[in-house]
Amino acid sequence: MEKRQWKPIAGFDFKEILFDEYDHIARITINRERYRNAFTPLTTHEISVALDHCREDGGIRVVLLTGAGDKAFCAGGDMHVKGRGGYVGGDGVPRLNVLDVQMQIRRLPKPVIAMVNGYAIGGGHVLHVVCDLTIASDNAIFGQTGPRVGSFDAGFGASYLARIVGQKRAREIWFLCRQYSAQEALDMGLVNKVVPLAQLEDECVSWARQIMQLSPLAVRMVKVGLNAELDGQAGHPAAGRRCHHALLLPRRGARGRQGVSREAQARLGPVPPLPLTGWGLAAVLCVKSR
Ligand code: 2NE
């Protein structure tokens, strides 16, 4: 196992997560080992703030999401703070906003790898599901528990799960609330790779490094395209924004639309012989601009 000097990312006073960085990789660790890394409204708020930072900091290329210790990735919503109206935070307001965090992970224009180091249960299971990739330790256990405790996630936790494992399996996972071993999760395509716990971080960092050798723009465009399949109408603004950003990248200074258009044409040479429009044309422009 390689020894790495993870450096805390300055400027934050997080109570329930750790946030550090190594070699352009940000690591967000839910730091509630005592409660199997179950999340409270404060935890999800802190994850959200950290993800915002990851989005804005151009030096960060890949994000790892994990849990503290060697027993759990995340055991979902903290049942101890479940009260009237939902999960109640320190301000007395019942809100968890974990669905917003899921959306943030999907919208982040950088890959997010779930480093699953133990139980990924309930809302914690959905968290790994919405990450771009999942690498699990051999002691990891997966499953939904919502219906057992009168709860559910009918958003990505249902629809995206079904896209990954198929409708029958997704219904089995939710209707029976069974737990699945890392090997079973691998067999059903729910995780990308399983490694011994001691090698988990090495493996994740190795995957991150491989990703970082590729074009960040191409990776972000593919992510938005993969998301669009499930996001429907809501995916169009995200995809459009990425395309627009990609088109503007080669522009030097504020030369206006005319200049951009001429630059784009110069890069392309003659008008492409293929009937490219919309996404296709944007893709050609992106590739040419790299
Ligand atoms: C995760 C699991 C299977 C682990 O079992 P085990 O045997 O390894 O640990 P144990 O003894 O159950 O738990 C250790 C400590 O962690 C706390 C426990 O209460 C226990 O503390 P003490 O009793 O020693 O004081 N703990 C574990 N999970 C917790 C949680 N979610 N909230 C607060 N404390 C927790 C096993 O612990 C388990 O099944 N946990 C419950 C999982 C669960 O039901 N999560 C909520 C699902 S609903 C959800 O996440 C959700 C949603 O459905 C929709 C929207 C948002 C969230």
Side-chain angles (χ1 to χ4, degrees):
M1 185 182 160
E2 205 182 308
K3 186 91 189 117
R4 289 181 195 89
Q5 293 291 334
W6 290 88
K7 201 170 82 200
I9 297 178
F12 302 96
D13 183 23
F14 292 137
K15 307 279 185 257
E16 300 191 350
I17 67 166
L18 303 173
F19 189 33
D20 48 17
E21 183 178 11
Y22 169 79
D23 196 15
H24 305 287
I25 304 167
R27 183 175 63 173
I28 300 173
T29 306
I30 302 175
N31 193 23
R32 306 191 74 237
E33 195 175 345
R34 161 77 180 80
Y35 302 104
R36 299 292 187 265
N37 297 317
F39 49 74
T40 69
L42 179 61
T43 326
T44 53
H45 171 71
E46 291 183 352
I47 295 174
S48 176
V49 171
L51 286 169
D52 266 346
H53 177 86
C54 293
R55 182 192 174 111
E56 299 303 327
D57 185 337
I60 293 172
R61 299 274 309 276
V62 176
V63 179
L64 301 186
L65 179 63
T66 192
D70 58 5
K71 291 203 168 49
F73 169 73
C74 175
D78 186 326
M79 305 303 279
H80 300 306
V81 303
K82 217 170 176 192
R84 194 180 165 84
Y87 294 85
V88 184
D91 58 4
V93 179
R95 63 170 160 228
L96 193 55
N97 293 343
V98 72
L99 302 189
D100 293 345
V101 169
Q102 296 170 8
M103 191 65 90
Q104 243 182 313
I105 291 171
R106 283 174 65 84
R107 292 275 165 86
L108 194 79
K110 305 172 186 186
V112 183
I113 302 176
M115 184 160 83
V116 177
N117 52 320
Y119 284 105
I121 295 286
H125 186 257
V126 180
L127 273 186
H128 102 83
V129 165
V130 299
C131 287
D132 297 296
L133 298 162
T134 298
I135 302 179
S137 54
D138 49 9
N139 67 328
I141 306 233
F142 298 82
Q144 298 297 157
T145 53
R148 196 177 286 149
V149 293
S151 183
F152 60 91
D153 182 335
F156 290 121
S159 60
Y160 187 35
L161 181 69
R163 277 281 203 276
I164 296 170
V165 300
Q167 283 280 347
K168 295 284 184 188
R169 268 291 193 181
R171 283 161 208 251
E172 172 191 317
I173 289 169
W174 273 103
F175 295 171
L176 280 74
C177 290
R178 284 182 180 161
Q179 293 186 352
Y180 301 86
S181 70
Q183 186 57 49
E184 287 172 311
L186 185 67
D187 292 344
M188 65 173 109
L190 192 53
V191 306
N192 297 88
K193 181 143 191 192
V194 176
V195 294
L197 180 62
Q199 290 167 24
L200 183 60
E201 186 183 294
D202 284 352
E203 190 69 24
C204 290
V205 168
S206 160
W207 282 51
R209 283 192 170 131
Q210 283 186 50
I211 292 170
M212 289 190 291
Q213 285 167 10
L214 307 173
S215 156
L217 179 64
V219 169
R220 94 168 44 174
M221 295 299 287
V222 171
K223 176 165 175 171
V224 83
L226 290 166
N227 285 348
E229 188 235 358
L230 205 67
D231 288 354
Q233 292 273 333
H236 291 309
R241 195 172 59 239
R242 295 272 166 271
C243 285
H244 186 243
H245 183 221
L247 285 170
L248 293 179
L249 275 181
R251 177 176 170 183
R252 288 174 202 89
R255 275 192 266 160
R257 272 190 80 189
Q258 190 67 26
V260 171
S261 169
R262 266 204 298 271
E263 266 187 28
Q265 281 174 26
R267 272 200 319 280
L268 274 171
V271 174
L274 299 169
L276 292 176
T277 56
W279 275 89
L281 181 60
V284 170
L285 288 171
C286 291
V287 172
K288 292 261 182 180
S289 69
R290 293 295 78 206

